[in-house]
Amino acid sequence: MTLPVIRHHTGLESGGGATRVARLLAEGLVGIGHGTDLTFELAETGGTVTRPEDFGATLASETIPHLHCSGDWPALLGSLSEGRKTVITLHDCELFTGGCPHPLGCAALNNGCAPSCERDFPDADALKKEKYRLVHRLDTSLVSPSRWLARLAKSHLHLPVTIIPNGIPWPEHPPRRGEARQQLGINPSARVALFVAHGGEEAVYKHGGQWRGLWDKIKSRLPEALCFAVGGQTSEQEGDFIQWPYVERERLTLLMAAADVLLYPTRRTTIPWWCWRPWPKGCL
């Protein structure tokens, strides 16, 4: 029996958690005999992009679209023919809000977005209703990595949601702390803290704006401590506070192995709490 082709679609070519999950799923599907490919709307390395409004026209009739994120959900959903079987994996709340990825306590969310959105999303209520209409126009299967996000999606989209936690590939032989520090040029006896989020200090949902304040408190108690803040746009150092931009997974793996503690003061995350693993061990 020939298995159907699955086409994953994301916003970014390589960066971000949604793209990471899409690529992992594509690799896994190939391993069990599915044909699969990936399209995206923004190419960080110069790849060929697919505009949301053109996505449906690129699909063969037997291909199943698996959508992860988009810069224009109405255009993407509207490009698909009515009644088409479509899988959507939720990575945030944007599919059922008036534009915000995470409502963060917005009082208007459960009563319909306000005509004048306090977060400055234009025509928020109309956009929310249009996305609802387009999701129900298709034969949609929704997937969430966490119960929290699934509960929100059910209450707003009125569709069943299957909970499938994001897979986390684990290296067979993680680098040892000493080896990682040697490769990164970190003193073997240093006490090392690590902040990491796509966007760095500008990552609103990961409390990037509070990183320095938290670091100051750590530094006051442990003057010898060293900190890496990873994921922003710049590479610079202020004393023992070192900023690195978005790094490739191999470098991030080394940083995690070298650190004593990962500091993750997230306001919202779709990672289920019971999926967290204590790597690296130890704490400040």
Side-chain angles (χ1 to χ4, degrees), residues 66-125:
H66 188 150
L67 312 180
H68 293 266
C69 64
S70 175
D72 190 341
W73 274 112
L76 180 64
L77 297 169
S79 74
L80 299 170
S81 57
E82 185 171 357
R84 180 155 196 156
K85 177 63 179 176
T86 303
V87 180
I88 302 177
T89 290
L90 301 164
H91 297 273
D92 56 31
C93 304
E94 194 170 340
L95 184 65
F96 52 85
T97 68
C100 52
H102 293 289
L104 293 179
C106 175
L109 179 67
N110 294 326
N111 302 315
C113 292
S116 178
C117 174
E118 63 180 21
R119 297 175 185 174
D120 296 325
F121 289 100
D123 301 319
D125 191 48

Side-chain angles (χ1 to χ4, degrees), residues 10-54:
T10 71
L12 300 176
E13 177 188 10
S14 57
T19 298
R20 175 66 172 160
V21 170
R23 290 189 177 277
L24 287 171
L25 288 172
E27 292 169 7
L29 288 168
V30 168
I32 60 174
H34 276 278
T36 186
D37 62 1
L38 175 73
T39 59
F40 41 85
E41 299 169 15
L42 180 64
E44 300 101 316
T45 62
T48 302
V49 303
T50 298
R51 298 189 306 170
E53 60 267 30
D54 297 333

Side-chain angles (χ1 to χ4, degrees), residues 17-257:
T19 298
R20 175 66 172 160
V21 170
R23 290 189 177 277
L24 287 171
L25 288 172
E27 292 169 7
L29 288 168
V30 168
I32 60 174
H34 276 278
T36 186
D37 62 1
L38 175 73
T39 59
F40 41 85
E41 299 169 15
L42 180 64
E44 300 101 316
T45 62
T48 302
V49 303
T50 298
R51 298 189 306 170
E53 60 267 30
D54 297 333
F55 176 74
T58 67
L59 294 172
S61 58
E62 66 277 9
T63 297
I64 297 176
H66 188 150
L67 312 180
H68 293 266
C69 64
S70 175
D72 190 341
W73 274 112
L76 180 64
L77 297 169
S79 74
L80 299 170
S81 57
E82 185 171 357
R84 180 155 196 156
K85 177 63 179 176
T86 303
V87 180
I88 302 177
T89 290
L90 301 164
H91 297 273
D92 56 31
C93 304
E94 194 170 340
L95 184 65
F96 52 85
T97 68
C100 52
H102 293 289
L104 293 179
C106 175
L109 179 67
N110 294 326
N111 302 315
C113 292
S116 178
C117 174
E118 63 180 21
R119 297 175 185 174
D120 296 325
F121 289 100
D123 301 319
D125 191 48
L127 177 59
K128 179 179 178 179
K129 290 176 180 177
E130 177 65 0
K131 286 187 283 191
Y132 181 96
R133 182 187 73 82
L134 290 168
V135 166
H136 284 265
R137 172 178 166 272
L138 303 171
D139 180 8
T140 303
S141 294
L142 294 175
V143 177
S144 168
S146 69
R147 289 191 179 97
W148 166 77
L149 186 55
R151 184 172 64 252
L152 278 178
K154 286 179 185 177
S155 66
H156 291 280
L157 292 173
H158 304 117
L159 288 172
V161 182
T162 300
I163 299 172
I164 304 177
N166 291 336
I168 304 174
W170 203 254
E172 185 175 352
H173 301 291
R176 294 181 180 275
R177 179 172 297 174
E179 296 170 352
R181 291 190 174 193
Q182 184 177 17
Q183 291 189 51
L184 294 170
I186 299 173
N187 190 306
S189 62
R191 306 302 297 275
V192 181
L194 173 65
F195 289 101
V196 59
H198 193 183
E201 290 185 277
E202 301 300 320
V204 175
Y205 298 113
K206 309 306 177 190
H207 258 324
Q210 293 193 8
W211 286 5
R212 287 177 186 264
L214 293 171
W215 165 241
D216 288 342
K217 292 179 180 180
I218 293 171
K219 189 66 172 174
S220 68
R221 296 178 63 182
L222 289 171
E224 73 279 14
L226 177 69
C227 181
F228 288 89
V230 180
Q233 301 295 322
T234 61
S235 179
E236 57 186 71
Q237 181 171 353
E238 297 179 21
D240 290 324
F241 186 82
I242 302 168
Q243 294 186 75
W244 276 2
Y246 195 92
V247 298
E248 297 299 323
R249 186 152 300 276
E250 291 75 16
R251 175 58 62 92
L252 183 58
T253 297
L254 284 175
L255 277 167
M256 292 183 69

